Amino acid sequence: MWARDTLPPVMIAFLVLNTTAVGLRVYVRSLMSKAFSYDDWAMLVAFSGFVVLCITTFISITNGYGAEDFGLNPSYDEIMAVKFFVISTLEYVIIVFIAKVSVALVLYRIAATNKPIRRLLEVSVGCMAVWTLATSTIVGLQCRPLSFAWGEGTGTCMNPKILGNTGFSISAMDIISSFLYASLPVFLLRGVQLSLKMKISVIILLGLGVLSSVATVVRLKCLVDVANLKSAVGPEAMNAYLTTFVYSITELGITIFTASVAALRPLIKMIKWGRTEVSGYGISSNKKSQRSRPHMGPPIRLDNVHSKASTSEEYIIPKEGAAKNTHAMVTCTEV
């Protein structure tokens, strides 16, 4: 089962990536900017939840969830495997909401003077809260009692189509919110003068936001398979759930990473971009300034102007003829 083999490396990769990104965010916001605020606390909660989600999923897989010999291998604990995967599913629904809220709070802080966008963000968070409450309730009541989901006692479980439709609902919330939050910076930064490096950073952040939405869209195909299951339990169901979870972890990991990198502007500003060149007339980062004054003659080394064979006037006065007027200009252009 490719999903069972793929899920652990994906979780490890995003744990390492997001631990680094969130750690840098905490460093920048608390020590460099000294502006640690509510959006940073929300991100720490989302990241902590993501770590717990990965741990419970690891426990489920370690105990044999999704294995081909699940139920046949005595080394596997079937009840532990299913129990922790159900817990992971509930955690995912809640953590997605917290991660989206952390992204919304980053934009809310940036839009300090833009009341329409702030109202839009408030409405979006309210809608996601209602949405999350409804979907988490359905997931939590998928079996009555819930312990029946992992084989303890007797009871009944919902039709797989209901769980599939619930997954569609969660995906719809993810897609709408991801594209909304990825597009809002365009309106926030419209008309704002930015340097080239900051424009590049904004483009990267927008691209990552859309990338998380792409992972959610791909997951829709897996949810169709879940909705078409004949039973909510069994090897076929476990494989379908794990396949969905691969894209769920990917989407959540990218969301946390994107929101964390968005706070690293002070570090980005410290990166040296381009190189500085020295010309005969000043300091420039490119050759355009040299071509803008062709009548000034060729550049010379400053130590040559003191030679007896030539004078400095020969190089600073236009050869076409002009009144003697020595003028020096030093410019520094940051790209």
Side-chain angles (χ1 to χ4, degrees), residues 270-315:
M270 295 174 61
I271 300 175
K272 301 299 182 181
W273 294 69
R275 61 191 182 94
T276 302
E277 298 177 357
V278 180
S279 68
Y281 315 107
I283 303 175
S284 175
S285 58
N286 53 53
K287 297 181 180 180
K288 183 177 180 181
S289 60
Q290 299 180 27
R291 294 193 298 267
S292 62
R293 297 183 180 181
H295 61 282
M296 295 295 289
I300 64 168
R301 293 175 57 87
L302 293 179
D303 54 0
N304 290 341
V305 300
H306 301 293
S307 64
K308 296 180 180 180
S310 62
T311 60
S312 61
E313 289 84 357
E314 179 182 353
Y315 298 96

Side-chain angles (χ1 to χ4, degrees), residues 192-253:
V192 178
Q193 297 296 325
L194 294 175
S195 63
L196 177 60
K197 62 182 180 182
M198 289 311 302
K199 289 181 179 179
I200 293 175
S201 67
V202 170
I203 292 173
I204 294 175
L205 291 177
L206 290 176
L208 289 174
V210 173
L211 183 60
S212 66
S213 302
V214 172
T216 307
V217 172
V218 174
R219 189 180 59 188
L220 288 175
K221 195 271 179 185
C222 303
L223 292 174
V224 173
D225 296 335
V226 172
N228 292 330
L229 289 172
K230 297 179 180 179
S231 174
V233 296
E236 184 181 0
M238 287 190 292
N239 186 53
Y241 296 149
L242 285 175
T243 302
T244 303
F245 233 61
V246 171
Y247 298 104
S248 299
I249 293 293
T250 301
E251 189 268 340
L252 185 56

Side-chain angles (χ1 to χ4, degrees), residues 92-330:
Y92 169 75
V93 175
I94 298 172
I95 295 168
V96 164
F97 168 70
I98 299 174
K100 295 296 182 182
V101 169
S102 67
V103 176
L105 290 177
V106 171
L107 296 171
Y108 193 82
R109 174 169 51 83
I110 296 174
T113 59
N114 196 319
K115 291 185 177 180
I117 289 184
R118 280 201 157 196
R119 297 293 88 79
L120 177 61
L121 289 169
E122 291 169 358
V123 171
S124 68
V125 171
C127 292
M128 287 192 300
V130 174
W131 216 319
T132 301
L133 179 61
T135 53
S136 59
T137 300
I138 294 174
V139 174
L141 298 177
Q142 58 181 288
C143 291
R144 294 180 297 276
L146 184 59
S147 59
F148 181 66
W150 52 80
E152 291 184 347
T154 59
T156 58
C157 290
M158 292 182 180
N159 190 304
K161 289 186 177 181
I162 298 177
L163 295 177
N165 291 333
T166 302
F168 286 130
S169 176
I170 298 173
S171 295
M173 182 190 74
D174 286 349
I175 294 170
I176 294 172
S177 60
S178 294
F179 277 102
L180 174 64
Y181 297 156
S183 60
L184 281 181
V186 176
F187 300 97
L188 288 173
L189 300 175
R190 185 172 55 185
V192 178
Q193 297 296 325
L194 294 175
S195 63
L196 177 60
K197 62 182 180 182
M198 289 311 302
K199 289 181 179 179
I200 293 175
S201 67
V202 170
I203 292 173
I204 294 175
L205 291 177
L206 290 176
L208 289 174
V210 173
L211 183 60
S212 66
S213 302
V214 172
T216 307
V217 172
V218 174
R219 189 180 59 188
L220 288 175
K221 195 271 179 185
C222 303
L223 292 174
V224 173
D225 296 335
V226 172
N228 292 330
L229 289 172
K230 297 179 180 179
S231 174
V233 296
E236 184 181 0
M238 287 190 292
N239 186 53
Y241 296 149
L242 285 175
T243 302
T244 303
F245 233 61
V246 171
Y247 298 104
S248 299
I249 293 293
T250 301
E251 189 268 340
L252 185 56
I254 293 176
T255 299
I256 294 175
F257 178 76
T258 303
S260 298
V261 173
L264 303 184
R265 178 175 177 178
L267 285 180
I268 297 176
K269 292 174 65 176
M270 295 174 61
I271 300 175
K272 301 299 182 181
W273 294 69
R275 61 191 182 94
T276 302
E277 298 177 357
V278 180
S279 68
Y281 315 107
I283 303 175
S284 175
S285 58
N286 53 53
K287 297 181 180 180
K288 183 177 180 181
S289 60
Q290 299 180 27
R291 294 193 298 267
S292 62
R293 297 183 180 181
H295 61 282
M296 295 295 289
I300 64 168
R301 293 175 57 87
L302 293 179
D303 54 0
N304 290 341
V305 300
H306 301 293
S307 64
K308 296 180 180 180
S310 62
T311 60
S312 61
E313 289 84 357
E314 179 182 353
Y315 298 96
I316 62 177
I317 299 178
K319 294 183 178 181
E320 291 79 8
K324 182 177 180 180
N325 183 18
T326 303
H327 177 71
M329 176 180 293
V330 177

